[in-house]
Amino acid sequence: MRPYKVRHWWRTGLIGALTLLAAAVAVPGTRADIPYPDNDPFYAAPINLGEFANGAILNSRAIAVFGLPLPVAGWQVQYRTTDSAGEAAANVATVMTPLMPWTGPGDRPLLSYQIAEDSLGTRCAPSFALRGGRDFSIATTLLDVPFLAEAFRRGWAVVVSDYEGPQSRFFDGVNSGRAVLDGVRAAKSFAPLGITDTSPLGAWGYSGGAFATLWAMQLRASYAPEIWFAGVTSGGVPADIPAIARGVDGNYQAGLAVLILLALARNDSGSGLADTLNDSGRTLLAQEATSCGGDLVARHFFGHVDDYSSVPDILDSQAFRAATSHQELGGWAPDVPLYLYHSNNDDVIPSAGFSALVDRYCALGANLTAVHSAIPGHNPAAAGEALGAMNFLSDRFNGDPVLAGCTVR
């Protein structure tokens, strides 16, 4: 990529991020006109939800993206999906498109963008932030502003689904993957967005967003075979969940281990993980029922999850491994072109799990490019490797062919 384009990307992203961060800081507290999802009637499921097909639009409303006068048209759509228990659920996605006309080849592309929701409650859902909600729960969404801004600069339409669903099921692969796919179905059928049957589709997610993205791609052929993705990018990929939890337990990111423990204990009653919590653990599970990952990190500096367990070494326990095993990526290989990237010195998600997942996908016949990044750190690699991810999507949207097989560098 030419230096001008690199500088322009950073300038656009930085200006957008600073503008939105300044606006968020300038309006302290929660805006009275932007209720949390649990208090917003728009999110309430219709009584006849089960009568609708997956991806069917149940409700819609126009929004000002981030509550600001941006050159981006935005709407929120409520749509039907099916959760991991096989029950009908009503999810919400935010669909957006730049106001500038599309000047590229063919019809305007649609990017399914998965923000790292990483939460135990719907106040942390991207839709709350994207509509203009104001409190600490929007921090994770704001981190993705530079990448969203670049997608809009390139002229792409974007759909951001609240893929954890109304029960905020963090690290529930089937739930998240289905929600992503049904969010794309809803976006494609939402006429004001202007997506056509010939619009190329792409997907992107980093960290928790990568988990949802790749689960969606693993499920695509069986759950949504009519949807084809020209290209998919994911970075900072959460693979080997026990290793992630062990790696942060006791350090400044210990709240992430707490998040993983509480989410899996709440989500998977059959694993017996909830039964291993002691009185402090059960109290914590109730106290943190609506917390975001950022809340937990702020409250559990250098904490240890064993403080909340009645068994020693809970992260190595049979119950914990039972809860994590069927959430791990790699059970199937996505059949769409992939571009994966991960820091060799990731301080949140150990790189060994990423390497093993790449090997697994390649052995199962995936077509992928995997980048083992020399940029140290989870968040620095997210920024430093984003151009490669964007350019991979641009090439796919332009119809450029992708090499078959695995390229690992």
Side-chain angles (χ1 to χ4, degrees):
M1 174 170 275
R2 295 193 299 273
Y4 166 77
K5 290 189 176 180
V6 173
R7 290 195 299 270
H8 184 71
W9 183 88
W10 279 106
R11 183 170 65 249
T12 301
L14 184 59
I15 290 172
L18 292 177
T19 299
L20 294 173
L21 284 169
V25 171
V27 187
T30 303
R31 283 177 49 180
D33 59 329
I34 308 292
Y36 290 127
D38 285 350
N39 301 321
D40 188 340
F42 181 80
Y43 290 77
I47 59 175
N48 61 337
L49 175 62
E51 299 175 7
F52 292 88
N54 287 324
I57 294 175
L58 310 172
N59 201 357
S60 66
R61 64 184 175 191
I63 65 165
V65 178
F66 285 107
L68 299 172
L70 302 174
V72 178
W75 302 265
Q76 289 182 330
V77 295
Q78 184 191 46
Y79 63 96
R80 183 251 163 88
T81 187
T82 299
D83 66 20
S84 55
E87 299 294 329
N91 275 23
V92 169
T94 306
V95 295
M96 300 162 283
T97 189
L99 295 180
M100 64 181 181
W102 171 246
T103 58
D107 291 326
R108 188 189 299 271
L110 173 66
L111 176 66
S112 177
Y113 191 102
Q114 282 59 253
I115 288 171
E117 200 167 337
D118 295 1
S119 67
L120 298 172
T122 59
R123 54 184 281 268
C124 326
S127 61
F128 173 69
L130 289 168
R131 189 175 175 228
R134 298 284 191 273
D135 77 357
F136 184 65
S137 68
I138 73 173
T140 300
T141 301
L142 289 180
L143 289 174
D144 284 62
V145 164
F147 313 123
L148 289 170
E150 175 62 8
F152 295 139
R153 189 192 71 81
R154 296 189 184 216
W156 304 342
V158 176
V159 52
V160 178
S161 296
D162 295 349
Y163 55 80
E164 287 190 11
Q167 296 179 4
S168 297
R169 295 179 64 87
F170 175 66
F171 270 171
D172 184 333
V174 171
N175 186 81
S176 298
R178 289 174 174 174
V180 168
L181 294 168
D182 287 325
V184 172
R185 282 170 162 157
K188 287 188 63 180
S189 67
F190 186 64
L193 191 62
I195 297 303
T196 73
D197 288 339
T198 59
S199 292
L201 305 179
W204 188 7
Y206 193 84
S207 195
F211 178 83
T213 301
L214 292 176
W215 261 102
M217 298 308 114
Q218 290 185 172
L219 297 173
R220 186 208 68 81
S222 60
Y223 186 77
E226 81 283 5
I227 301 176
W228 175 253
F229 290 83
V232 173
T233 61
S234 289
V237 181
D240 193 345
I241 297 171
I244 297 169
R246 288 194 303 270
V248 296
D249 189 43
N251 73 19
Y252 69 101
Q253 296 267 30
L256 297 180
V258 174
L259 170 63
I260 293 170
L261 175 65
L262 296 183
L264 294 175
R266 188 179 70 179
N267 293 348
D268 193 344
S269 58
S271 69
L273 185 58
D275 296 333
T276 69
L277 300 178
N278 59 21
D279 289 344
S280 295
R282 288 188 289 272
T283 298
L284 187 70
L285 184 60
Q287 289 176 341
E288 303 286 17
T290 63
S291 294
C292 303
D295 300 326
L296 294 166
V297 169
R299 287 197 281 267
H300 295 276
F301 278 126
F302 303 105
H304 294 274
V305 292
D306 276 352
D307 293 341
Y308 305 106
S309 172
S310 60
V311 301
D313 300 322
I314 189 171
L315 298 180
D316 287 318
S317 68
Q318 181 178 356
F320 186 76
R321 290 190 173 276
T324 59
S325 62
H326 57 280
Q327 303 302 343
E328 295 286 2
L329 291 161
W332 310 269
D335 60 356
V336 298
L338 298 175
Y339 181 96
L340 309 179
Y341 53 104
H342 199 104
S343 171
N344 290 332
N345 294 289
D346 194 303
D347 56 337
V348 178
I349 302 174
S351 61
F354 173 73
S355 297
L357 179 64
V358 169
D359 291 345
R360 173 68 174 161
Y361 278 165
C362 290
L364 291 172
N367 289 330
L368 65 81
T369 296
V371 177
H372 294 271
S373 175
I375 299 173
H378 189 70
N379 290 332
E385 297 293 348
L387 279 175
M390 278 284 184
N391 290 339
F392 178 86
L393 290 170
S394 284
D395 289 345
R396 306 291 79 73
F397 291 161
N398 289 335
D400 295 345
V402 64
L403 292 175
C406 287
T407 301
V408 180
R409 60 177 192 264

